[in-house]
Structure formats: structure tokens, C-alpha cells
Amino acid sequence: MSSIAVPALAPPRRAWLTDLPVLLVAVVWGSSYLAAKGSTTAQTVVAVLVLRFAVVLPVLVVAGRRRLRALRAAQWRGAGLLGLVLSGIFLVETYGVVHTSATNAGLIISLTMIFTPLVEAAVTRVRPPGAFLAAAGLSVAGVVLLTQGGGFTSPSAGDLLMLVAALARTAHVMLMSRIKSVQGADSLSLTTIQLGSAVAVFAVLAAVPGTGDAPWTVAAGFGLPEWGGLLFLSVFCTLFAFFVQMWSVRRTSPSRVSLLLGTEPLWAAAVGIAIGGERLGVLGAVGALLVLAGTGWGRRAVAPATP
């Protein structure tokens, strides 16, 4: 990644004004698993994804229409390819949430923070620090225990799907760093094209017989709780989160933003247990702590020094 000018950090007494919105993003992302679980079933996954992003996409298009027109054809193609990968991530992740607990989903998906440096090390042939490898082992052990809350049994289908989703997220991050045409392009435009490509994939799948209920049928059957969950996913977990990230990275350090967003799995567990009434069991609780400790330790082990 090319070096960029790092903005001056906010004065200590005002740092919380910048940190609080970023922390709220981590909270809403952690809550998104329970919200998705509450508004989605195995038969409505594709339809809900169509509705979720169809709600937010027009806002992004209007907000970034001038920047979209300025993109080159190669940048459109690169962002479109990333959008296809993104559609796969959302499909696997949403099906995974349906078939496991929100707590497990949020914690297992956090393994992306471990997988990404491992894959990058394999691609660049640079051995990661020993501390990171130890942290990765701790996280993997935590996931094993997390999925065994009721005793040593086979992981659920949802747990395995979330693991695949974590790997898919890793592939998405790696592609973003390897596709030259999207490097340096406007972030809002890239996000809009990716979400547009994903919505197109979901719409095509929704038209295929056997992929579940049609979006308009699902929308007509939604009650107030389902619409509330859908709007929460669209407005807060997408629009709010994206703009806060853009706003905050210009006012503090990227490392600080990453550290705050890294609390997402903690909030996923807290919301799942406190609001969703989920229970981990002794083994699951130990596993959750190991995942949180491992991902936090691993993130620090590979993080660049803050200027």
C-alpha cells in the first residue's frame, strides 16, 4: 500500500468525540448478526439481501454520482469483480447466521483478522511474527471450544458456513490489494459499484426457482419487527458505518480506527447473550474469551507502528 499523509491526531480531550462514532459502528456491526437472524429464514435469505441493499443503493448512487462518472472502465470492471466476491460473502454469511447463533457468527467471522495476515504472508513469502502465529493458534483453539458449548459434537452447518465466510472475506481483502485498477480509486464509488453488482447477483438468484421466496412476497409479509431489522441493517450497518469510517480516518489514525472496530466480536457476543437470550456453556464461554484474546493479540502483532 502506498504511503499517505497521516492526519494530526485529535487532542486528548476531544479524542472521545472521534472514537465514540467508530465504537458505535463496532456495536451496530456486532448487533447485525442478531438483526439478520431475526428478519431472515432459510427461505428468505436471497430476498432479504435484495431488499437490504436495494434500500441503501440509491442513496449511495445519488451521493457519489459525480465520482462514479469519473471512474475509468478498468475501475468499473475491477469493482464489479469485487462485487461478485462480495455477493458470495453475504450469501454464505447470511445463510450461516440463520443456522447458528448470533454469538458464534460474530466470533467466528472475526477470524478474518487472523486469516488475512496468514494468506498475505503466504502470497508474499514473508514469515509472520512468532507472536502472531501464537495468537492464530489461540484463536483457532477458541473457535473449536466455541462450537462445542453443548459438549464435543460436530460443528453446526452455520458454524462451518461462517468459517467459509471468514475465508471469503479474506479473499475479498486480498483481491482489493491485488487488483491494480481499484487501487487509489474513490472509496464511495467502489463501494457503490460493489453493492450494485451484489444486488444484481441477488436479483438473478431470486428469479431462479427453488432459491426461496420472491423479494416482493417477503416484503409484503414483513411486520414491524422485520422491517425494523431490515432498516437497521441497511441504514446503520451499511450507510452509517461506511460514512463514519470515511469521516473518522481523516481525524485520527487508521490503527486507532482498526482497534475500535476490532471490538465487533465482543459486541456480537454481548448482544447475542443479553438480548438474544443465547447461552454459550462453560466450553463456549472459554472459547469466546480465547477468540477475543487471540484476534486482539494477533491484530497488534501485525499492526504497523503508529506514527
Side-chain angles (χ1 to χ4, degrees):
M1 183 180 293
S2 58
S3 59
I4 58 174
V6 178
L9 299 183
R13 68 178 183 275
R14 295 183 179 177
W16 69 272
L17 292 174
T18 303
D19 290 349
L20 183 58
V22 181
L23 191 60
L24 286 175
V25 170
V27 173
V28 297
W29 276 353
S31 306
S32 67
Y33 302 101
L34 188 62
K37 194 171 182 67
S39 59
T40 313
T41 67
Q43 291 300 311
T44 63
V45 167
V46 175
V48 168
L49 287 172
V50 171
L51 295 171
R52 173 181 174 178
F53 294 110
V55 168
V56 73
L57 190 60
V59 179
L60 292 175
V61 171
V62 171
R65 59 188 182 280
R66 292 182 180 177
R67 298 172 182 175
L68 283 170
R69 288 197 293 266
L71 291 180
R72 304 188 306 273
Q75 292 174 318
W76 276 85
R77 289 193 297 270
L81 174 60
L82 290 172
L84 294 180
V85 178
L86 192 66
S87 67
I89 293 172
F90 279 113
L91 282 168
V92 175
E93 192 172 299
T94 309
Y95 275 113
V97 169
V98 169
H99 294 290
T100 190
S101 67
T103 303
N104 279 23
L107 290 165
I108 294 173
I109 201 69
S110 71
L111 289 178
T112 302
M113 291 183 284
I114 294 296
F115 292 156
T116 302
L118 286 175
V119 172
E120 185 176 16
V123 171
T124 60
R125 297 183 180 180
V126 176
R127 181 182 174 84
F132 175 79
L133 294 176
L138 192 67
S139 296
V140 171
V143 168
V144 171
L145 292 177
L146 180 66
T147 59
Q148 307 303 316
F152 285 98
T153 57
S154 299
S156 70
D159 292 333
L160 295 176
L161 285 171
M162 294 309 299
L163 191 60
V164 172
L167 291 168
R169 279 195 184 191
T170 298
H172 184 258
V173 171
M174 292 301 297
L175 283 172
M176 287 187 70
S177 68
R178 306 291 288 186
I179 298 177
K180 293 183 179 180
S181 63
V182 302
Q183 295 173 11
D186 175 63
S187 298
L188 175 60
S189 300
L190 292 179
T191 300
T192 303
I193 296 170
Q194 288 185 70
L195 291 182
S197 299
V199 169
V201 171
F202 302 147
V204 170
L205 288 177
V208 176
T211 55
D213 300 331
W216 50 87
T217 302
V218 173
F222 269 1
L224 189 59
E226 290 80 12
W227 275 113
L230 182 70
L231 291 175
F232 174 78
L233 292 169
S234 297
V235 175
F236 290 98
C237 299
T238 306
L239 271 182
F240 170 75
F242 172 74
F243 285 112
V244 165
Q245 285 184 87
M246 288 191 64
W247 172 82
S248 63
V249 80
R250 289 169 172 80
R251 289 165 175 80
T252 186
S253 70
S255 296
R256 191 175 184 88
V257 172
S258 176
L259 182 65
L260 291 167
L261 291 179
T263 63
E264 176 191 345
L266 175 62
W267 297 111
V271 170
I273 294 170
I275 300 178
E278 298 174 352
R279 295 293 179 266
L280 289 174
V282 176
L283 287 177
V286 172
L289 291 175
L290 290 180
V291 171
L292 291 172
T295 53
W297 183 17
R299 188 169 57 250
R300 288 169 177 81
V302 297
T306 303

